[in-house]
Amino acid sequence: MSALPGTSSSWLRTPPEGKRKNFYQNVVFGLTILATIVVLTPIVIVAGYVVREGLSAITLEFLTEGPRRDGAEGGIWPVIVLTGYTLILVVVMAVPFGVGSAVFLSEYARPGRLLRLINLTIINLAGVPSIVYGLFGAAFFLDILGGEKSLWVVSATLALQALAIIITSARESLLSVTRGIREGSLALGVSKLRTTFFITLPQALPGIITGVLLAISRAAGETAPVIVVGAILAKNVSLNPSAVINERAQVLSFELYGRITEGIGYPEERKWGIALVLLTVVLIFNLSALFLRWRISQLGSVRRN
Amino acid sequence: MAAAQPATDEVARRSLSESVRRRRSGAAWEGVVEATIYATGLFTIVLLVGILFLLGQQGLRLFFEMDYPIGKFFTFGNAITDNTTDIEKFRFGILAPLIATMWVTLVTLIIAVPLGLATAVYISELAPPRVRLLIKSAAELLAGVPTVLFGFVGLFLLVPFVRDQFGWGAGGMSGMTAGIVVAFIAVPLIISIADDALQAVPLDFKENAYALGCNKLQAIWFVIIPAAISGITAAVMLGMARAIGETMTVLILAGGNSSIPEAPTESMRTMTATIASGFGNASAYSLLRPALFMTGAVLFLITLFTTVLADLVLDKQRKKFAR
Amino acid sequence: MTNETTTTTETGAETNLSTGRMAGGGVDVKATVAAAAAASPKKTSTDQVALSLNNVGVWYGQHEAVQGVSFDIYQRATTALIGPSGCGKSTLLRCFNRMNDLIPGTRVTGTISVEGVDIMGKDVDAVQLRRHVGMVFQKPNPFPMSIKENIAFGPKRLGLAKSKSQMDDLIEESLRDAALWDEVKDKLDEPGTSLSGGQQQRLCIARVLAVKPDIILMDEPCSALDPIATLKIEDLMRTLAKDYTIVVVTHNMQQAARVSDWTAFLLAGEERTGRLIEYSPTEQLFTTPRDKRTEDYITGRFG
Ligand SMILES: Nc1ncnc2c1ncn2[C@@H]1O[C@H](COP(=O)(O)OP(=O)(O)OP(=O)(O)O)[C@@H](O)[C@H]1O
Ligand SMILES: [Mg+2]
């Protein structure tokens, strides 16, 4: 894409005064490359450090057993299971409402000043700091609904943020489905609802899934709202699904934060172990989303040919 | 053999005017589904918009139910997160956290803006397509790393270094330390938005510049960047909103001093960190809980205002090149 | 069928020879009309009215795009809508299957009736109407599925085929009628988008035929196609006109002359509101236009 006309051949016949120009140009371009490298090093540092320090903590016991002696021994199995429950619940709550709202916004709502205002709000809600969602969760689920500080409250709070992300990305993928094929279906006498279900949604599906994966990844790594609505450190509790209502939340991100700040005497190595598990979970969702998006762009370029 | 039987006689023809008036089978069922979609959409919108009102309502209780002086909330130079019901003893003002947030954000932007824009220029204008894709993906991964991990790694690598080399803040934990790390959290967003803006500049703009004898640098500097300036502005604003809202790294790395910081190198506690560290022990009837809600509402308004403004700026850019 | 195909192909070749491809040359158009008339005698009148327009007007918000259009569209004839860009041809065409309903802020006045029933009426179901009044768009818009699924989509969603074999028959029949069967019969499972532009457009026509409409609307169906593909579609239109009522919008006056029996000429004034200027049998409109403005337009003396 950088091969624009004129650039390559202009190198051949450089006037003397142009030599200096090219020198500056090379310096500036060199700086941009340097900046790029600086931006990307933290990934290598964070991932490298976490893996190097954490790998030795990862044992079968660490991953599959409950904590002993306040977590200093044993494993983080309850945290892993309850993190799983939390994320499943986030998906169950956020995906239907998120996709439903996106369909509403892109297919049904009449454009106008009100819709524009709503769009603007929702798009920007995805950019609201996560701790604000935590405060809302505390105010709504705990103070107003009078709920206990149980796992579902944490899930519901994280789901709110996921909702904003899912609506935004799903709406974008729905809008990117061309008007042509919608009209093609409508002109056959297929109703709007069926057109949405059989033409528009299938077309937008990869994009919607990408958004959902990113939202899950975000929810898995989110710590601030969990601190606000409240979670506990690793503890042996009943892990059957009723824990969603009966138990307080234990999630990886909070486990890590709690051990960093309060874990005097908590083995250093185990903190890195938690960090490694957390990073792995988040990256799995993140990389799947990236891969899917890459596939979409591939398909897109094939289709355009 | 005959082309699909169209209306060929009187009877069939009458059925056309008849059949267009008949309700489709399943229309009632579809109506139910559509009503559900409407309900879902409206419910979600009400819920999301309700966040603002609920936070405001919970926060304003501080002044109207508990009679904490508004002036004190906005001017008192400390934010002590005591879990108390005694108005005299409660010494909490938003000024110190607000200034701490400003310091961290400033440090973040000073680092992240040049880095982000330079990277955006590189991937958008200079890098070959494969490299571009690779870097964009890497930047997205960077954006996906949980910020608590940044805080944790920063605590182990950056804090001791800062303590030994510069002696800033509380044992190396300062606004500056946090700001440096937050810069890497904000930078992917800046790259992504700025790259979009640069990419949106029509190819013929660039070609015109080359046709006038510009070299690549001149084309980028005098033509492409000016054309994309509103998108770049939006990128900076969104990066700023991200820095203002970042919680975990500042909670772990900024030191946590609740008084007004006079320099970025001091230990400090931002709005987000104040909420996160204080909310756990803020009981339902204390003054602290509404005070933190109020702080959250202010935080919300600042970030919402910034992102909405960025969105409007982006819209302007989109309209400029819409064809 | 074989016989028919040969005839139409010959006609196509002949018309191609006798005309320049540029639109707007009055003499050329007259030659085309003569050639077309000689090749196949056209219906210039018929007693059966498919659609009856009475004082039709369309508003896009505050903008009146079409005003006071009244004429009858005859059954199993081809009617062409011509006129300069922006005069409201597409707008008018999209009234016939109420596609305009989908654009917020659009309002239609007057009546468009089928057998005395106003299709704009509250008691008419727009979705049901569109099943009977099919539409082919300017840009071929095959669904992102296989060729087979493209055709099957409508019948499946509307429940028109009872069994798989019935569906297969319907697919073959529709593709044959759209003169596409021979070209795609060995690759029915390939994506519809893998076809050439002209084939895609015929796929879209086949897709419409599969739901067995009564009227087919076409909005500049050839404008995105090359001359050869255009000729194929024109041949197809002539074949289909034996069994369907066709309304076609076109910018190409030779095309109007070649394929249509009736032609309506629309024109918008300063205020960009389209009005019907003349509606006559095609041959008459192109050879002896009644209105000065029609004459100006078809001889190319006009914007
Ligand atoms: N969705 C719309 N909203 C508002 N105005 C519209 C819309 N579609 C068309 N118009 C306006 O209505 C008028 C008629 O447009 P229309 O598309 O029917 O013209 P046309 O004769 O089909 O032109 P062309 O030959 O270029 O296709 C134009 O002035 C156009 O600007
Ligand atoms: Mg048109």
Side-chain angles (χ1 to χ4, degrees):
Chain A
M1 61 125 272
S2 58
L4 288 166
T7 44
S8 52
S9 60
S10 68
W11 286 96
L12 296 175
R13 279 167 274 117
T14 312
E17 136 279 334
K19 277 233 174 70
R20 196 167 346 114
K21 265 204 223 161
N22 282 336
F23 173 72
Y24 285 133
Q25 175 167 302
N26 291 341
V27 169
V28 172
F29 289 176
L31 286 177
T32 64
I33 294 176
L34 189 68
T36 309
I37 293 169
V38 171
V39 164
L40 297 184
T41 36
I43 305 183
V44 182
I45 294 179
V46 171
Y49 216 74
V50 168
V51 171
R52 202 188 74 185
E53 301 287 317
L55 211 51
S56 59
I58 306 294
T59 58
L60 199 64
E61 187 195 12
F62 187 69
L63 294 177
T64 60
E65 285 183 18
R68 287 193 309 272
R69 304 210 316 139
D70 275 347
E73 284 172 19
I76 54 166
W77 175 240
V79 183
I80 294 177
V81 174
L82 293 186
T83 302
Y85 286 170
T86 307
L87 294 182
I88 291 172
L89 211 54
V90 166
V91 171
V92 168
M93 290 191 270
V95 170
F97 281 100
V99 176
S101 308
V103 168
F104 169 77
L105 286 175
S106 75
E107 312 294 315
Y108 284 93
R110 298 260 129 173
R113 203 169 295 165
L114 183 66
L115 185 66
R116 187 162 154 60
L117 190 72
I118 288 169
N119 271 335
L120 201 65
T121 318
I122 287 183
I123 289 169
N124 291 301
L125 278 174
V128 164
S130 58
I131 196 160
V132 171
Y133 286 96
L135 284 177
F136 176 76
F140 189 63
F141 299 117
L142 300 179
D143 293 358
I144 298 209
L145 297 185
E148 295 289 311
K149 286 186 171 180
S150 50
L151 191 149
W152 75 267
V153 174
V154 171
S155 283
T157 303
L158 292 174
L160 283 174
Q161 189 178 16
L163 194 59
I165 300 172
I166 293 172
I167 294 176
T168 309
S169 66
R171 180 178 152 269
E172 224 155 76
S173 358
L174 285 167
L175 287 178
S176 72
V177 176
T178 56
R179 212 178 83 175
I181 62 169
R182 286 173 217 242
E183 289 196 331
S185 169
L186 291 166
L188 291 175
V190 175
S191 65
K192 187 164 170 175
L193 184 69
R194 280 164 194 257
T195 300
T196 303
F197 267 96
F198 294 103
I199 296 282
T200 320
L201 271 174
Q203 267 302 90
L205 197 60
I208 293 175
I209 295 175
T210 309
V212 171
L213 288 171
L214 285 176
I216 297 174
S217 159
R218 180 82 87 79
E222 209 54 87
T223 319
V226 181
I227 294 176
V228 172
V229 285
I232 57 169
L233 293 173
K235 184 183 162 196
N236 291 309
V237 295
S238 151
L239 292 180
N240 65 25
S242 66
V244 163
I245 295 164
N246 297 333
E247 299 296 338
R248 296 201 56 183
Q250 303 178 26
V251 293
L252 284 165
S253 57
F254 184 79
E255 176 76 9
L256 177 60
Y257 172 70
R259 297 305 182 187
I260 296 172
T261 51
E262 290 157 36
I264 309 148
Y266 189 82
E268 232 15 63
E269 180 200 63
R270 292 172 68 90
K271 293 182 194 168
W272 290 105
I274 300 166
L276 181 54
V277 175
L278 176 62
L279 186 65
T280 312
V281 171
V282 168
L283 284 191
I284 286 173
F285 287 112
N286 234 311
L287 285 172
S288 334
L290 273 181
F291 177 73
L292 198 62
R293 184 175 302 165
W294 174 75
R295 286 289 303 180
I296 300 169
S297 69
Q298 293 268 302
L299 289 179
S301 59
V302 168
R303 207 174 289 144
R304 244 172 271 126
N305 287 342
Chain B
M1 174 65 272
Q5 290 82 47
T8 44
D9 52 37
E10 264 324 295
V11 181
R13 212 167 123 54
R14 206 170 292 123
S15 84
L16 171 57
S17 58
E18 278 298 303
S19 55
V20 297
R21 278 193 293 181
R22 247 200 334 260
R23 291 295 290 170
R24 283 163 291 133
S25 57
W29 181 82
E30 287 188 6
V32 173
V33 178
E34 290 187 329
T36 312
I37 292 174
Y38 271 94
T40 311
L42 293 175
F43 171 76
T44 310
I45 290 160
V46 168
L47 192 70
L48 290 178
V49 174
I51 292 178
L52 179 65
F53 292 103
L54 193 57
L55 281 192
Q57 187 231 337
Q58 293 286 311
L60 289 174
R61 281 176 50 216
L62 181 67
F63 310 128
F64 298 114
E65 267 176 42
M66 303 179 165
D67 297 322
Y68 189 71
I70 298 185
K72 190 172 174 191
F73 182 79
F74 283 103
T75 56
F76 189 74
N78 207 327
I80 298 167
T81 49
D82 275 341
N83 183 27
T84 173
T85 51
D86 186 339
I87 290 192
E88 294 310 313
K89 282 201 191 126
F90 190 56
R91 288 171 299 150
F92 187 100
I94 201 175
L95 200 57
L98 196 64
I99 292 173
T101 297
M102 276 167 48
W103 278 128
V104 173
T105 306
L106 188 70
V107 173
T108 299
L109 289 183
I110 288 175
I111 300 169
V113 168
L115 279 182
L117 296 187
T119 307
V121 167
Y122 175 68
I123 62 171
S124 166
E125 305 301 318
L126 305 170
R130 272 163 179 277
V131 177
R132 175 188 152 78
L133 185 69
L134 196 76
I135 295 172
K136 274 193 86 113
S137 310
E140 259 177 73
L141 280 186
L142 186 64
V145 173
T147 57
V148 64
L149 280 180
F150 276 101
F152 188 36
V153 174
L155 190 63
F156 272 81
L157 294 181
L158 193 61
V159 168
F161 177 79
V162 167
R163 182 187 54 216
D164 299 342
Q165 296 298 312
F166 310 108
W168 293 338
M173 292 190 268
S174 68
M176 196 83 139
T177 321
I180 292 171
V181 178
V182 176
F184 289 96
I185 294 169
V187 91
L189 189 64
I190 297 182
I191 295 175
S192 146
I193 310 280
D195 174 58
D196 285 348
L198 292 169
Q199 289 284 306
V201 176
L203 198 62
D204 44 339
F205 265 54
K206 306 179 189 179
E207 286 176 343
N208 277 336
Y210 292 122
L212 290 171
C214 286
N215 69 13
K216 211 165 189 175
L217 180 60
Q218 288 170 320
I220 291 171
W221 190 254
F222 294 112
V223 178
I224 300 173
I225 289 181
I229 196 67
S230 39
I232 291 173
T233 314
V236 173
M237 290 167 66
L238 290 173
M240 188 169 103
R242 187 84 180 74
I244 294 173
E246 173 48 32
T247 310
M248 292 318 293
T249 32
V250 289
L251 186 60
I252 297 173
L253 298 175
N257 188 333
S258 65
S259 55
I260 294 182
E262 265 146 33
T265 50
E266 286 176 18
S267 161
M268 59 182 74
R269 197 162 69 190
T270 63
M271 291 194 281
T272 53
T274 304
I275 298 169
S277 63
F279 206 85
N281 61 345
S283 60
Y285 301 103
S286 70
L287 286 159
L288 183 55
R289 207 170 169 94
L292 294 179
F293 275 122
M294 198 61 218
T295 310
V298 171
L299 177 68
F300 186 18
L301 283 182
I302 294 174
T303 48
L304 189 69
F305 179 75
T306 315
T307 47
V308 167
L309 206 63
D311 210 57
L312 294 176
V313 172
L314 272 181
D315 224 39
K316 207 175 113 193
Q317 161 117 4
R318 236 173 267 136
K319 290 218 177 82
K320 192 154 86 184
F321 297 125
R323 8 180 99 186
Chain C
M1 186 64 188
T2 327
N3 198 14
E4 271 171 23
T5 316
T6 331
T7 326
T8 43
T9 313
E10 272 171 18
T11 318
E14 191 181 335
T15 40
N16 192 26
L17 281 179
S18 58
T19 45
R21 290 228 63 91
M22 292 297 299
V27 182
D28 278 355
V29 175
K30 282 178 185 169
T32 310
V33 174
S40 63
K42 292 200 173 175
K43 290 161 271 189
T44 46
S45 75
T46 158
D47 47 359
Q48 295 196 318
V49 177
L51 283 171
S52 179
L53 283 69
N54 186 12
N55 201 21
V56 173
V58 186
W59 295 77
Y60 286 119
Q62 298 302 307
H63 172 217
E64 188 172 22
V66 172
Q67 189 192 62
V69 173
S70 307
F71 66 95
D72 287 344
I73 290 171
Y74 295 103
Q75 221 195 331
R76 262 168 290 147
T78 301
T79 304
L81 303 181
I82 62 168
S85 196
C87 67
K89 306 179 294 292
S90 302
T91 302
L92 189 61
L93 191 75
R94 289 165 65 92
C95 291
F96 302 161
N97 64 347
R98 285 183 54 180
M99 282 304 263
N100 284 333
D101 284 17
L102 303 164
I103 303 171
T106 311
R107 206 153 43 81
V108 180
T109 58
T111 60
I112 302 172
S113 40
V114 171
E115 276 274 292
V117 175
D118 182 12
I119 61 169
M120 296 297 170
K122 282 247 182 305
D123 56 339
V124 169
D125 185 63
V127 174
Q128 199 81 313
L129 173 72
R130 290 186 203 119
R131 176 224 177 294
H132 291 280
V133 185
M135 187 164 207
V136 176
F137 297 82
Q138 175 170 3
K139 219 173 134 238
N141 55 354
F143 299 136
M145 338 167 159
S146 71
I147 292 172
K148 206 166 151 184
E149 287 166 330
N150 256 284
I151 310 293
F153 181 81
K156 223 190 253 169
R157 297 282 83 84
L158 302 173
L160 296 186
K162 303 276 176 294
S163 65
K164 191 178 173 305
S165 70
Q166 219 174 350
M167 181 64 87
D168 287 342
D169 290 347
L170 185 59
I171 291 169
E172 178 170 347
E173 182 186 309
S174 309
L175 285 168
R176 275 193 197 283
D177 290 344
L180 190 60
W181 176 251
D182 292 330
E183 288 159 70
V184 301
K185 64 171 181 279
D186 299 323
K187 47 177 183 178
L188 290 176
D189 289 318
E190 280 177 33
T193 43
S194 67
L195 298 174
S196 74
Q199 289 173 325
Q200 285 186 18
Q201 195 63 298
R202 276 177 285 151
L203 181 66
C204 293
I205 294 174
R207 188 173 78 186
V208 168
L209 297 181
V211 299
K212 305 196 182 298
D214 299 73
I215 301 171
I216 302 175
L217 311 175
M218 301 185 174
D219 193 349
E220 302 181 44
C222 303
S223 67
L225 307 180
D226 66 69
I228 307 285
T230 299
L231 275 184
K232 284 206 172 130
I233 303 271
E234 286 182 10
D235 284 347
L236 177 58
M237 284 164 72
R238 269 190 299 262
T239 315
L240 292 176
K242 295 187 173 70
D243 299 300
Y244 296 92
T245 305
I246 297 179
V247 186
V248 57
V249 168
T250 177
H251 269 140
N252 179 331
M253 274 177 278
Q254 275 88 9
Q255 184 172 75
R258 281 195 296 264
V259 301
S260 71
D261 307 303
W262 289 80
T263 299
F265 171 58
L266 285 91
L267 191 61
E270 288 286 279
E271 75 297 4
R272 297 188 304 124
T273 297
R275 290 186 188 76
L276 179 67
I277 302 300
E278 182 165 351
Y279 177 61
S280 318
T282 299
E283 196 179 338
Q284 186 187 324
L285 187 128
F286 280 111
T287 49
T288 52
R290 278 177 282 137
D291 196 292
K292 177 78 170 62
R293 288 166 295 182
T294 314
E295 167 112 45
D296 286 347
Y297 182 69
I298 61 175
T299 52
R301 254 179 271 147
F302 209 80

